[in-house]
Amino acid sequence: MKRMIPTAAGTAAVVLALTACSSGSGGDEPAAAAEGPVTLTLAGWSLSTTPEFQTLADAYHEENPDVTVELAEYDATEYDTQMIADLAAGSAPDIYVQKNLKNFWTYQDGGQLMDVSDVTEGLDPATGGVDFYEVDGSSYAVPYRQDSWVLYYNKDLFEQAGVAEPDGSWTWDDYATAAEDLTSGLEEAGSDALGTYQHSWQSVVQGFALAQTEGADLTSGDFGYLEPFYDQAVALQDAGAQADFGTVTTNQLTYQAQFGTQQAAMMPMGSWYVATLLAQQESGEADEFAWGMAPIPQVDASTTGTDATPVTFGDPTGLGINPALDEEKVAAAKDFLAFAAGEGGAQALAEIGITPALLSDSVVETYFGLDGVPTDELSQFAFATHDTRPENPVDADTAALQNILGDTHSEIMSESSSVADAIEGAESRAAAEVG
């Protein structure tokens, strides 16, 4: 497959250009299929270390030899800025990834996503994240990945500390107790490892608070639901069971190294980390140790245990079609989306340790057939069973509110303000800046 690297200017002003350069939806009239070979372009990032894009392109081409999917590489950290610029310039790829759900509204509201409702109507009902790409009853992207947050734990460190492993019944109080017990037990055993590692991202606290608190609504501007979750996060670092926020940010700690080199016995993290950990253990970047996955801790016992469905969060990663696509290529582009979100794409992704949006029994079997993936019942349950709610609800105000709450997170975790004062400040800013 040919790899293209487009140039894209990155200026904030091009956000406004989306509406001005809007093209037709492509969904009103049936498109005429192209005669003969078709070449589609697909956006991606960090192609040398992120194999999912080439994997989907190759798997689709194998089943559809008349369609070639070429990759267009973007910078991972500037993806949305560059994509918005290319859409405005008319040089964007035919199919592009919805990397962050919080920016989906910008693309859709700017008329830069084709209506693909006819594709989503044909997807397996078990496909995760489909509803997150709906606006006014129509779908504008399809999910090909649906990561969910779970609790990773180091079985060897649990044994060394003499602490019982997770059993699927944990609440956040159980988790906090285990983190402190692990820290003291490991210290007594001569280890410097801490009980847990919670990375510096705001989602590590806020994502769970939004998903697990009944009635919580990001767009309401009422952020009181965050308070008990932040109280616990601050208490964990104050107790020394978690690296403090200043250490994490100043020393630029990575979650891969903290768990992979056994600096922490537990770590809440997305299911995407499985593929990274397997690769790093194989390369020697991570230590060899026994590990497992457990459901993320819950607010109370009502959603714990393997006979219940634990609530967690995670945004899907989706694919949308550039509405400026040549009409004769639309049928092929929609067929590629259907493949990526369906059984074929899911199997291809599972074979490289990526969590697909469709977790059929056969896909889960493929995933747990990979060398190094723990095969115990709790790990399989944690991976496949959950009520996954979005971190970024689709709304015009989501991005602005998340920016405010990002500042709030730093303020609280650095302990420059109390939890209550910081939340009150966020609510005031939301009222003034967003309304």
Side-chain angles (χ1 to χ4, degrees):
M1 297 295 171
K2 180 181 176 184
R3 181 178 299 171
M4 303 191 318
I5 303 179
T7 59
T11 64
V14 296
V15 175
L16 300 176
L18 281 173
T19 302
C21 70
S22 173
S23 302
S25 70
D28 296 329
E29 298 291 338
E35 296 182 4
V38 175
T39 297
L40 298 170
T41 52
L42 168 66
W45 56 84
S46 305
L47 300 183
S48 63
T49 57
T50 309
E52 64 199 62
F53 310 113
Q54 191 70 59
T55 295
L56 288 173
D58 290 345
Y60 183 76
H61 182 68
E62 186 175 350
E63 290 193 12
N64 302 272
D66 283 344
V67 182
T68 299
V69 181
E70 297 181 345
L71 302 185
E73 185 167 23
Y74 286 75
D75 182 90
T77 58
E78 298 295 330
Y79 175 82
D80 286 301
T81 300
Q82 292 181 348
M83 183 57 66
I84 288 169
D86 280 2
L87 286 165
S91 59
D94 302 326
I95 301 168
Y96 66 103
V97 183
Q98 296 300 293
K99 189 173 188 283
N100 299 296
L101 189 60
K102 73 177 183 180
N103 293 320
F104 165 69
W105 182 275
T106 300
Y107 293 112
Q108 191 280 328
D109 191 53
Q112 294 302 321
L113 285 168
M114 184 179 291
D115 185 335
V116 292
S117 300
D118 50 347
V119 178
T120 58
E121 287 170 0
L123 297 179
D124 189 312
T127 307
V130 175
D131 294 347
F132 301 163
Y133 294 115
E134 287 186 4
V135 178
D136 296 332
S138 297
S139 298
Y140 293 90
V142 302
Y144 70 94
R145 289 180 57 167
Q146 174 59 79
D147 289 292
S148 300
W149 281 59
V150 298
L151 181 66
Y152 294 85
Y153 66 100
N154 183 317
K155 293 173 176 282
D156 293 346
L157 290 180
F158 266 81
E159 182 178 3
Q160 188 177 357
V163 175
E165 294 180 11
D167 60 3
S169 69
W170 280 13
T171 64
W172 286 107
D173 288 340
D174 297 323
Y175 162 81
T177 298
E180 294 187 26
D181 290 347
L182 284 161
T183 302
S184 58
L186 289 167
E187 183 178 9
E188 291 174 5
S191 171
D192 293 331
L194 299 181
T196 193
Y197 179 74
Q198 296 183 179
H199 198 47
S200 58
W201 301 328
Q202 69 192 84
S203 56
V204 178
V205 181
Q206 295 176 11
F208 297 119
L210 181 62
Q212 295 182 346
T213 305
E214 186 175 356
D217 181 0
L218 174 72
T219 61
S220 70
D222 179 0
F223 305 133
Y225 64 90
L226 296 171
E227 189 162 352
F229 288 82
Y230 271 114
D231 284 340
Q232 187 173 80
V234 171
L236 276 174
Q237 68 177 13
D238 287 349
Q242 148 75 30
D244 66 79
F245 186 75
T247 299
V248 174
T249 54
T250 301
N251 295 342
Q252 298 183 320
L253 300 185
T254 67
Y255 68 86
Q256 299 95 329
Q258 290 303 295
F259 191 78
T261 61
Q262 304 189 83
Q263 301 303 302
M266 297 187 293
M267 183 176 71
M269 189 53 61
S271 50
W272 66 78
Y273 177 57
V274 172
T276 301
L277 180 56
L278 294 179
Q280 289 187 334
Q281 285 189 322
E282 183 176 358
S283 69
E285 291 179 77
D287 298 342
E288 288 289 340
F289 56 89
W291 59 278
M293 291 179 281
I296 207 68
Q298 302 290 293
V299 169
D300 57 47
S302 65
T303 50
T304 65
T306 54
D307 58 348
T309 302
V311 177
T312 187
F313 81 94
D315 287 348
T317 308
L319 294 171
I321 298 176
N322 183 346
L325 176 66
D326 291 341
E327 186 176 355
E328 67 271 14
K329 293 184 178 183
V330 169
K334 288 186 173 182
D335 192 58
F336 177 78
L337 263 63
F339 173 84
E343 183 77 18
Q347 285 286 355
L349 292 172
E351 288 173 1
I352 60 171
I354 298 296
T355 309
L358 177 60
L359 291 179
S360 64
D361 290 344
S362 60
V363 169
V364 172
E365 182 179 355
T366 296
Y367 191 93
F368 281 91
L370 297 174
D371 289 340
V373 176
T375 57
D376 61 277
E377 290 185 7
L378 187 61
S379 292
Q380 295 190 51
F381 175 83
F383 177 81
T385 308
H386 29 68
D387 176 4
T388 304
R389 301 178 182 178
E391 175 188 357
N392 294 287
V394 176
D395 189 89
D397 296 331
T398 292
L401 291 170
Q402 290 288 34
N403 289 338
I404 292 171
L405 289 176
D407 294 339
T408 304
H409 178 74
S410 298
E411 190 177 348
I412 292 173
M413 296 308 299
S414 65
E415 301 191 45
S416 58
S417 291
S418 70
V419 174
D421 286 348
I423 290 175
E424 182 179 354
E427 292 173 342
S428 296
R429 280 188 63 189
E433 298 173 23
V434 181

